[in-house]
Amino acid sequence: EVQLVESGGGLVQPGGSLRLSCAASGFTFSRYDMTWVRQAPGKELEWFSTISSGGATTYYRDSVKGRFTISRDNNKNTLYLQMNSLKTEDTAVYYCATALNYKHPPGQGTQVTVSS
């Protein structure tokens, strides 16, 4: 059974930083491209970053490019998201998922709230 457990969210002021983690189990993590998605209140799920299985290639939505960095440690079966220069519009529940299943993230997500 695929399990993805997100952590690291919290309340941060605009301009602040957070680092999210996603612990993976139940599948061969190193073989899959992985994705971060988020859902803001009242809005649809939004893709914003993908990393290739080996970590060499990354993709970002324009709204987070230059502020967020996706990375992974295949030895630890863990996906990461470093978020800098956070904005109020980044407030959302953040989920990780395999790139193939990004529209249906299996985990509970982690809440990120950016507010002064």
Side-chain angles (χ1 to χ4, degrees), residues 66-82:
R67 301 188 297 122
F68 291 9
T69 303
I70 190 172
S71 62
R72 66 192 296 162
D73 186 336
N74 285 344
N75 292 322
K76 294 183 178 180
N77 288 346
T78 303
L79 179 71
Y80 301 101
L81 181 70
Q82 178 66 43

Side-chain angles (χ1 to χ4, degrees), residues 17-95:
S17 299
L18 282 174
R19 189 192 194 205
L20 306 185
S21 298
C22 167
S25 61
F27 66 107
T28 306
F29 178 74
S30 61
R31 293 183 180 176
Y32 289 83
D33 296 352
M34 295 296 295
T35 289
W36 284 100
V37 297
R38 63 187 181 183
Q39 188 165 25
K43 296 189 177 181
E44 295 186 350
L45 200 65
E46 173 186 80
W47 168 87
F48 65 88
S49 188
T50 295
I51 187 168
S52 61
S53 58
T57 306
T58 57
Y59 305 90
Y60 298 95
R61 192 179 192 89
D62 284 349
S63 60
V64 307
K65 201 173 293 184
R67 301 188 297 122
F68 291 9
T69 303
I70 190 172
S71 62
R72 66 192 296 162
D73 186 336
N74 285 344
N75 292 322
K76 294 183 178 180
N77 288 346
T78 303
L79 179 71
Y80 301 101
L81 181 70
Q82 178 66 43
M83 304 188 294
N84 298 328
S85 302
L86 283 161
K87 304 176 181 180
T88 55
E89 52 261 44
D90 294 318
T91 294
V93 179
Y94 284 67
Y95 302 90

Side-chain angles (χ1 to χ4, degrees), residues 1-5 23-27 106:
E1 178 187 1
V2 172
Q3 288 197 340
L4 296 169
V5 180
S25 61
F27 66 107

